[in-house]
Amino acid sequence: MELQEGIETRRSTRAFKSTPIPKDVIEKILETAGKSPSYANTQPWEVAVVCGQKKEEISNLLYEMGKSGATMTPDIPHPQTWPPELERRSKEHGTRRLQTLGIDRADTEQREASTLTNYKFFGAPCVLFLFTDELIPWSIYSMGLFSQSLILTAHSHGVSSCQQAWVANYPDKVRRFLGIPETKKLVIGISLGYPDMEARANTYRSTRVDMKDFVRWYA
C-alpha cells in the first residue's frame, strides 16, 4: 500500500472480528513503528501487547470499573474545555456517531452502554497500551508520532485499529494488572484487529476540514 493511500484510507474501527492477529504481523507492525522520529532520539515509547485470556481479563476489569462509575484518573487528563471551533467539531462528530448507531442523544442509558463498549475494545482480539516515562510535551509529541506510524503500518498489513483515550481512564488498574511500574505513564490504548464491515458502527465516517481552513500561506 502506497503511503498517501494509507493515510487517506485509514479509518478508526469500532467493531472487530474475533480473528486473532498472527504474532509475526504484530511484531512487524511494532518493529516498523519503532522507526518513528522522536525528540532528541529519546524514543520514549514502551508498549504492552495484550491478547487472548489476558485481554479478556483486563477488559472485564476496566468494564466493571466504568460500569460502577468509578472515578476516572487518567495520567493525561481529559480536556474540560475547547476553543469554540474545536468544540463545535467535537460535538458534531459525537452527534453524527450517535445518529449512525441509532442512539438518541437524550437517551443516557444507551449512550452509557455505547461508551462502555470502549472497555471491550470493540471486540478486538488485541489491545496495545502505550506507556512513557515522563509526561513532558516533547515526549507526548513523540508518542503521537509513534502512534501514527503504528496505526498506518497496521493498516498496510490489513489490520484495523482504534486509538482509545477512554481505556486509559484507570491507569493504576492497568499498571497493577500488567505489573508495570508506577513511574510509567499510560498515554493511550490502541485496539487492533480485522474489521467487521457488516457492523453498523463501521459505516460511520468522520469529516475533515478543508485545507484552506487550517493553512495560511506567506510569501
Side-chain angles (χ1 to χ4, degrees):
M1 181 183 297
E2 193 269 333
L3 179 58
Q4 183 172 338
E5 178 189 1
I7 294 172
E8 293 180 348
T9 60
R10 183 215 59 84
R11 299 285 184 271
S12 292
T13 294
R14 291 183 173 84
F16 294 88
K17 295 178 180 179
S18 59
T19 308
I21 309 167
K23 184 178 180 181
D24 64 315
V25 173
I26 298 175
E27 289 177 336
K28 183 59 181 175
I29 291 169
L30 292 169
E31 181 181 11
T32 302
K35 303 296 192 297
S36 303
S38 61
Y39 179 72
N41 198 35
T42 47
Q43 305 172 67
W45 41 78
E46 294 190 27
V47 184
V49 182
V50 188
C51 305
Q53 184 58 36
K54 281 293 185 181
K55 188 221 68 175
E56 296 301 326
E57 291 174 7
I58 199 168
S59 171
N60 292 335
L61 172 65
L62 294 175
Y63 185 89
E64 290 305 318
M65 292 290 291
K67 187 177 181 181
S68 70
T71 301
M72 296 181 291
T73 57
D75 290 331
I76 301 178
H78 296 296
Q80 300 303 306
T81 60
W82 294 98
E85 181 60 19
L86 275 61
E87 183 172 5
R88 180 190 65 77
R89 295 174 195 164
S90 177
K91 286 184 176 180
E92 286 184 357
H93 171 67
T95 297
R96 292 181 65 246
R97 277 192 60 207
L98 289 175
Q99 289 173 344
T100 299
L101 295 171
I103 299 175
D104 190 300
R105 197 172 186 88
D107 190 336
T108 55
E109 186 175 335
Q110 284 294 317
R111 287 178 61 188
E112 180 181 2
S114 177
T115 297
L116 287 172
T117 61
N118 275 278
Y119 299 124
K120 293 297 183 180
F121 314 124
F122 305 119
C126 182
V127 61
L128 311 180
F129 290 97
L130 273 57
F131 294 89
T132 188
D133 278 303
E134 295 291 340
L135 292 175
I136 58 177
W138 278 113
S139 286
I140 297 298
Y141 179 77
S142 298
M143 293 297 291
L145 293 170
F146 178 82
S147 298
Q148 174 80 333
S149 296
L150 194 157
I151 62 176
L152 287 176
T153 303
H155 182 43
S156 75
H157 285 272
V159 176
S160 292
S161 63
C162 188
Q163 298 187 87
Q164 297 174 254
W166 212 248
V167 302
N169 282 335
Y170 304 106
D172 290 333
K173 292 290 184 182
V174 173
R175 277 188 287 265
R176 201 167 299 131
F177 180 84
L178 297 175
I180 303 291
E182 292 184 5
T183 54
K184 305 297 181 182
K185 304 304 179 183
L186 178 55
V187 177
I188 199 168
I190 301 179
S191 291
L192 290 180
Y194 301 105
D196 178 359
M197 298 312 297
E198 302 299 317
R200 192 171 185 176
N202 286 335
T203 65
Y204 175 73
R205 292 291 180 266
S206 58
T207 60
R208 292 292 186 270
V209 299
D210 191 271
M211 182 185 71
K212 65 180 177 57
D213 294 323
F214 63 84
V215 175
R216 296 181 181 180
W217 297 85
Y218 300 87

